[in-house]
């Protein structure tokens, strides 16, 4: 059970005043999140113009390894980042300083090839499942048991329906004998509901400006670290 900090994601520059879009800002936020209790970091590297880029992974990793030694770091491989399957694979193959793991969305057509590529270069696969269809797809893959972690990232905003999707995914994984650790997280309206559910189920979770900016008690968080602090308090509350 860990709290992961997801500090920026694909959010646009105007989403939040503290959204870290430069390497310097990402490092600053990462340090603050680790100090607040985050055990891991999930980051979307950006170019100098602020756009997401898989080619920016090396620069980010050099800085993060120096600032947060020993911390597990993951990045996204979202198909939208390069918007070209061949370019996505080429960028990943060119990484010199590797992240510990990378998220792969099973909803994307090239997901199996990206998973195989990551495994071949020694990067763990965090398999992102957002739907029942995603779960059915991963259990049909021959390397389904080799994933570093299963990432349940439920986009449904209505709580009952969102819980239903999560339950359905877990049932499919269990029936197929997939026993990889689970990290459950939501977006916007469901963030704190799923943090509490992860605590109840003894799963990991994540919080940060990638997923939303609201605090559990209401109001907008000032920083990623503030949200991490809130999540860690929920995880440490043994009476919850």
């Amino acid at each position: 059970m860990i709290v992961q900090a997801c500090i920026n994601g694909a959010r646009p520059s105007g989403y939040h005043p503290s959204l870290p879009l430069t390497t310097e800002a990402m490092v600053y936020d990462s340090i603050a999140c680790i100090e607040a209790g985050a055990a891991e970091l999930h980051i979307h590297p950006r170019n100098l113009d602020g756009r997401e880029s898989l080619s920016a992974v090396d620069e980010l990793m050099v800085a993060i390894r120096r600032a947060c030694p020993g911390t597990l770091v993951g990045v996204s491989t979202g198909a939208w980042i390069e918007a070209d399957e061949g370019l996505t694979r080429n960028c990943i193959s060119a990484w010199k300083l590797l992240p510990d793991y990378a998220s792969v969305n099973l909803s994307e057509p090239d997901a199996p090839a990206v998973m195989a590529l990551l495994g071949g270069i020694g990067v763990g696969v965090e398999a992102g499942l957002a739907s029942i269809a995603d779960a059915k797809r991963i259990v049909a893959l021959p390397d389904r048991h080799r994933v570093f972690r299963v990432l349940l990232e439920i986009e449904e905003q209505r709580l009952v329906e969102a819980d239903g999707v999560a339950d359905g995914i877990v049932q499919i994984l269990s029936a197929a004998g997939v026993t990889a650790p689970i990290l459950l997280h939501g977006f916007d309206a469901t963030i704190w509901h799923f943090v509490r559910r992860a605590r109840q189920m003894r799963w990991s979770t994540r919080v940060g400006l990638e997923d939303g900016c609201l605090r559990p008690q209401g109001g907008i968080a000032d920083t990623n670290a503030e949200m991490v602090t809130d999540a860690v308090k929920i995880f440490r509350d043994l009476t919850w």
Side-chain angles (χ1 to χ4, degrees):
M1 291 175 63
I2 59 99
V3 174
Q4 181 189 91
C6 54
I7 64 175
N8 55 6
R11 297 285 187 177
S13 59
Y15 174 68
H16 190 281
S18 297
L19 185 71
L21 299 178
T22 66
T23 297
E24 181 180 12
M26 293 176 206
V27 168
Y28 178 86
D29 256 34
S30 295
I31 294 172
C33 286
I34 297 302
E35 291 177 345
E40 293 181 13
L41 300 166
H42 173 76
I43 306 176
H44 289 224
R46 307 274 182 137
N47 277 331
L48 293 178
D49 60 6
R51 290 185 297 178
E52 292 180 85
S53 172
L54 295 181
S55 296
V57 167
D58 282 340
E59 178 187 351
L60 173 70
M61 291 308 303
V62 168
I64 290 292
R65 293 296 191 210
R66 184 183 303 122
C68 304
T71 300
L72 290 181
V73 182
V75 299
S76 174
T77 63
W80 69 87
I81 296 175
E82 302 298 341
D84 180 280
E85 292 180 354
L87 183 56
T88 294
R89 295 190 209 176
N90 289 340
C91 288
I92 293 172
S93 297
W95 290 346
K96 294 181 175 59
L97 186 54
L98 300 177
D100 297 289
Y101 60 91
S103 300
V104 181
N105 302 312
L106 267 293
S107 61
E108 296 172 355
D110 204 38
V114 173
M115 293 171 65
L117 174 58
L118 291 169
I121 63 174
V123 175
V125 173
E126 190 177 56
L129 310 181
S131 68
I132 299 298
D134 292 347
K136 290 180 178 178
R137 188 181 192 197
I138 194 170
V139 300
L141 297 178
D143 56 353
R144 62 188 180 278
H145 297 295
R146 299 179 183 176
V147 298
F148 169 73
R149 177 190 291 132
V150 171
L151 181 66
L152 302 188
E153 38 190 359
I154 313 303
E155 298 180 357
E156 170 63 59
Q157 292 293 284
R158 295 169 296 183
L159 298 186
V160 173
E161 288 80 359
D163 279 334
V165 174
D167 290 341
I169 291 174
V170 172
Q171 288 171 5
I172 291 170
L173 296 176
S174 178
V178 176
T179 59
I182 292 175
L183 187 154
L184 171 68
H185 76 96
F187 294 97
D188 297 324
T190 64
I191 293 174
W192 299 106
H193 172 75
F194 278 134
V195 168
R196 292 185 175 93
R197 181 166 182 192
R199 167 69 178 82
Q200 181 184 41
M201 300 299 295
R202 302 191 67 79
W203 294 336
S204 295
T205 194
R206 80 179 197 189
V207 293
L209 294 175
E210 172 171 354
D211 291 345
C213 62
L214 297 179
R215 300 189 69 184
Q217 64 271 41
I220 296 176
D222 290 330
T223 63
N224 278 304
E226 195 169 64
M227 297 182 73
V228 169
T229 297
D230 290 335
V232 169
K233 285 181 179 178
I234 292 172
F235 261 40
R236 291 178 177 172
D237 182 3
L238 300 181
T239 65
W240 180 82

